[in-house]
């Protein structure tokens, strides 16, 4: 009677012979159906049985837990036998070994049925075990692939972080083993690609494909929507533009070609260009080779003033000085939180390093004019020093050394070329009837604090922010986000005589409203 029931049972699911159940089982190997739980459920439904897949310690991998004889399971997992069949209290049990990828120990597929197993049922169990082995191997391979990709991504981020702190020697050493030749260059472009939420992983892969894997592609640790691309190849820009053109809602910002030691500067330029790209029809922009204020200053005076301003850091050990300067450059360019993510340290570490620099320079980073001045000095140092990790230039203090009143910077800003540049830049705002120039000047004087500026102007804080957003496309510079664009505008106000010179060498302390504390 049991045999006839079993025959009817298997017949229902195997009409047409072996081909029917084999086709169903093979469907589970398709990419959309690869799931050991679904295979176990299919086997249970096909044989009207209880099915479990357990490891040697009794851990359930799929199906419904079934009590098994530990001795029998141990013999199967040890390889003494490949399968077993037995009957217990009128229930028929079939056990089959299922190998798993090393180093995982073998598992056991257990099928318990009220009816005995005929040849067809036994074949179904055996072939199901083989399919499970393939799925487990595929899953292990996919897991290993994900781990490998994650490790590669972590290494790319580590290389970028080394470049951000100007340690090009270590960056090249790390890159040489995995991406030979990638950093065998003196200069490179940095691009930042922005996509919508949830699209960044795919975008990063497409950036690697577009650059033919001849670029350092990093998922930005500070901005979830950004992918950073550092490449020495001039053709990469065109390839990335083409990629952005094919992807709606994607934007591209690129830097000018910079030395590897100035990767942080290049990154800031790319982010700045990204803001401009949002207003461009092609959704892409490269940092304009516009006239920067430092190019209009006397180079010798600029170098001397820079050396004098940063001289309090000279007695520090070489590596500590380089660390403090690199961190401060990033901290002035971005918020402390973003700089910390880029560097791979805590924000408290960034703030502690910047506080130390602030103390050594005896100045106050809460003042935007101070921040602009120190940013100018750090960029000047990066350009003129022979090697990013060398000690500071000597340079005589001469007329470049900053005094308590900030006269050293005033000397830099009094040239007719710089004054003409400042008047031209700020004059663009005169065409707007909202008096954007007054709002911008008041906001800068208020330490980039919209509420304070609003109280001074007698308007709402939101009005201040709207005016600033209106000024950004006119000046072609980011203001609300801070960084080098804002500092150029601050220097323009100083050169035009619309702001008081910064106090360099004073004793003011940083307030909580300073951007460094955001």
């Amino acid at each position: 009677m049991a045999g006839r029931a079993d025959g009817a049972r298997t017949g229902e699911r195997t009409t047409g012979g072996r081909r029917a159940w084999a086709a169903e089982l093979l469907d589970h190997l398709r990419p959309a159906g690869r799931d050991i739980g679904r295979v176990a459920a299919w086997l249970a439904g096909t044989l009207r049985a209880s099915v479990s897949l357990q490891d040697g310690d009794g851990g359930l991998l799929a199906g419904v837990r079934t009590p098994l004889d530990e001795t029998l399971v141990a013999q199967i997992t040890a390889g003494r036998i490949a399968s077993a069949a037995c009957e217990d209290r009128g229930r028929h049990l079939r056990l089959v070994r299922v190998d798993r990828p090393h180093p995982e120990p073998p598992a056991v597929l257990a099928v318990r049925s009220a009816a005995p197993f005929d040849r067809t049922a036994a074949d179904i169990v055996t072939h199901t075990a083989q399919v499970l082995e393939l799925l487990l191997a595929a899953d292990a391979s996919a897991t290993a692939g994900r781990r490998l990709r994650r490790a590669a991504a972590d290494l790319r981020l580590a290389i970028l972080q080394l470049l951000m702190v100007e340690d090009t020697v270590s960056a090249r050493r790390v890159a040489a083993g995995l991406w030979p030749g990638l950093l065998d260059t003196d200069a490179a472009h940095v691009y930042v690609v922005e996509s919508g939420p949830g699209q960044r992983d795919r975008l990063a892969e497409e950036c690697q494909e577009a650059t033919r894997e001849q670029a350092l592609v990093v998922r930005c640790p500070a901005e979830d929507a950004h992918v950073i691309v550092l490449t020495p190849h001039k053709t990469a820009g065109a390839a990335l533009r083409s990629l952005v053109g094919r992807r709606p809602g994607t934007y591209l910002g690129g830097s000018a070609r910079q030395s590897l030691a100035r990767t942080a500067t290049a990154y800031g330029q790319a982010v700045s260009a990204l803001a401009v790209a949002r207003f461009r029809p092609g959704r892409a922009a490269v940092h304009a080779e516009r006239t920067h204020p430092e190019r209009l200053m006397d180079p010798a005076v600029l170098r001397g003033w820079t050396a004098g301003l940063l001289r309090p850091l000279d007695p520090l050990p070489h590596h500590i000085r380089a660390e403090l300067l690199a961190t401060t450059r990033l901290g002035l360019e971005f918020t402390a939180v973003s700089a910390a993510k880029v560097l791979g340290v805590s924000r408290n570490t960034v703030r502690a390093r910047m506080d130390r620099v602030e103390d050594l320079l005896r100045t106050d980073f809460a003042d935007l004019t101070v921040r602009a001045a120190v940013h100018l000095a750090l960029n000047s140092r990066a350009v003129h020093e022979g090697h990013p990790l060398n000690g500071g230039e000597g340079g005589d203090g001469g007329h470049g050394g900053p005094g308590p009143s900030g006269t050293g910077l005033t000397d830099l800003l009094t040239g007719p070329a710089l004054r003409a540049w400042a008047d031209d830049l700020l004059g663009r705002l005169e065409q707007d009837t909202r008096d954007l120039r007054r709002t911008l000047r008041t906001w800068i004087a208020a330490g980039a604090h919209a509420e304070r500026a609003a109280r001074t102007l007698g308007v709402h804080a939101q009005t201040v922010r709207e005016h600033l957003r209106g000024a950004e496309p006119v000046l072609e510079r980011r203001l609300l986000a801070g960084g080098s664009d804002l500092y150029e505008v601050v220097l323009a106000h100083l050169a035009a005589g619309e702001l008081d010179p910064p106090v360099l060498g004073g004793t003011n302390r940083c307030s909580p409203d300073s951007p460094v504390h955001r």
Side-chain angles (χ1 to χ4, degrees):
M1 193 69 178
R4 287 194 298 272
D6 184 60
R9 168 175 52 78
T10 55
E12 292 174 8
R13 299 290 296 186
T14 58
T15 303
R18 178 189 183 96
R19 186 183 307 167
W21 65 260
E24 291 181 13
L25 184 57
L26 287 174
D27 277 341
H28 290 283
L29 291 175
R30 297 181 185 275
R34 294 177 180 175
D35 184 273
I36 60 173
R38 291 179 59 183
V39 174
W42 172 85
L43 180 60
T46 299
L47 300 183
R48 296 181 183 175
S50 174
V51 175
S52 72
L53 180 65
Q54 300 176 195
D55 61 25
D57 296 325
L60 185 65
L61 302 177
V64 179
R65 184 178 299 282
T66 300
L68 301 176
D69 182 273
E70 295 181 1
T71 302
L72 190 57
V73 169
Q75 289 180 331
I76 293 175
T77 56
R80 297 188 184 94
I81 56 176
S83 63
C86 59
E87 182 179 357
D88 181 26
R89 299 176 185 176
R91 304 289 291 183
H92 298 270
L93 180 65
R94 191 165 188 87
L95 305 177
V96 179
R97 174 189 170 105
V98 176
D99 288 320
R100 293 193 290 170
H102 183 78
E104 298 294 335
V108 174
L109 176 64
V111 183
R112 186 183 296 274
S113 172
F117 292 86
D118 61 10
R119 174 173 291 183
T120 298
D123 283 347
I124 291 174
V125 172
T126 300
H127 284 83
T128 300
Q130 295 171 349
V131 167
L132 288 170
E133 287 182 350
L134 291 174
L135 293 180
L136 289 169
D139 183 66
S141 177
T143 300
R146 286 192 296 270
R147 289 174 179 169
L148 181 61
R149 288 192 294 273
R150 179 179 293 276
D154 289 344
L155 280 174
R156 285 193 290 267
L157 174 58
I159 293 169
L160 179 66
Q161 290 170 339
L162 289 169
L163 292 174
M164 286 288 193
V165 297
E166 307 176 12
D167 191 352
T168 57
V169 174
S170 296
R172 285 189 173 108
R173 286 174 180 168
V174 175
L178 294 173
W179 300 282
L182 178 63
L183 297 183
D184 290 348
T185 179
D186 293 327
H189 292 276
V190 171
Y191 296 91
V192 175
V193 192
E194 181 180 85
S195 64
Q199 300 178 17
R200 185 167 70 162
D201 287 346
R202 179 56 189 159
L203 177 63
E205 294 175 1
E206 292 182 10
C207 287
Q208 287 182 316
E209 294 171 2
T211 57
R212 299 181 180 180
E213 299 189 358
Q214 296 300 306
L216 186 69
V217 178
V218 179
R219 292 164 179 80
C220 180
E223 296 291 340
D224 292 339
H226 289 182
V227 174
I228 303 170
V229 181
L230 183 147
T231 175
H233 302 290
K234 297 180 180 180
T235 58
L240 291 173
R241 281 178 180 269
S242 178
L243 170 62
V244 167
R246 299 191 303 268
R247 290 180 57 103
T250 305
Y251 303 91
L252 172 69
S255 75
R257 191 170 178 84
Q258 299 283 359
S259 68
L260 289 182
R262 299 198 72 200
T263 296
T265 298
Y267 174 56
Q269 290 181 349
V271 173
S272 177
L274 183 64
V276 176
R278 297 189 182 99
F279 302 101
R280 295 281 179 86
R283 292 178 280 113
V286 175
H287 186 73
E289 282 299 329
R290 61 198 184 202
T291 301
H292 297 287
E294 61 267 26
R295 297 181 182 177
L296 302 175
M297 300 175 184
D298 185 310
V301 176
L302 177 58
R303 285 195 298 271
W305 172 80
T306 296
L309 179 64
L310 300 180
R311 184 168 291 121
L313 282 76
D314 289 347
L316 297 174
H318 169 76
H319 67 285
I320 293 178
R321 178 178 183 270
E323 183 179 72
L324 291 178
L325 290 175
T327 301
T328 301
R329 282 185 68 198
L330 281 176
L332 292 176
E333 190 71 38
F334 309 102
T335 65
V337 174
S338 295
K341 291 178 180 179
V342 171
L343 292 172
V345 298
S346 73
R347 61 184 178 181
N348 288 336
T349 298
V350 171
R351 286 168 176 158
R353 291 174 182 173
M354 294 186 69
D355 285 346
R356 186 174 181 187
V357 172
E358 194 177 24
D359 288 337
L360 288 168
L361 299 183
R362 294 186 300 118
T363 192
D364 180 7
F365 285 165
D367 188 331
L368 264 181
T369 59
V370 170
R371 292 168 67 85
V374 174
H375 183 267
L376 172 66
L378 292 176
N379 278 342
S380 173
R381 164 200 164 269
V383 170
H384 294 295
E385 283 192 349
H387 190 279
L389 294 181
N390 282 345
E393 280 185 6
D396 56 33
H399 45 220
S405 63
T407 54
L409 181 61
T410 301
D411 291 342
L412 287 173
L413 300 178
T414 54
L418 194 63
R419 179 61 183 265
W421 166 81
D423 289 341
D424 176 70
L425 177 65
L426 300 179
R428 302 178 195 175
L429 300 173
E430 300 294 343
Q431 300 178 10
D432 196 294
T433 59
R434 293 174 293 179
D435 201 354
L436 301 183
R437 185 165 180 170
R438 176 170 176 252
T439 301
L440 177 57
R441 179 176 64 250
T442 305
W443 177 73
I444 292 173
H449 197 288
E451 284 73 16
R452 269 193 242 144
R455 287 195 294 270
T456 302
L457 295 168
V459 298
H460 194 278
Q462 187 59 31
T463 301
V464 173
R465 297 186 185 97
E466 289 175 358
H467 283 195
L468 295 171
R469 280 191 284 268
E472 286 183 329
V474 177
L475 299 175
E476 294 186 336
R477 286 163 173 83
R478 299 183 309 154
L479 300 174
L480 289 166
S484 57
D485 281 3
L486 175 57
Y487 298 143
E488 284 191 4
V489 175
V490 172
L491 291 176
H493 280 84
L494 289 170
E498 297 189 14
L499 289 174
D500 293 331
V503 176
L504 301 172
T507 57
N508 295 340
R509 293 301 309 142
C510 190
S511 73
D513 292 323
S514 170
V516 73
H517 284 274
R518 288 180 289 167

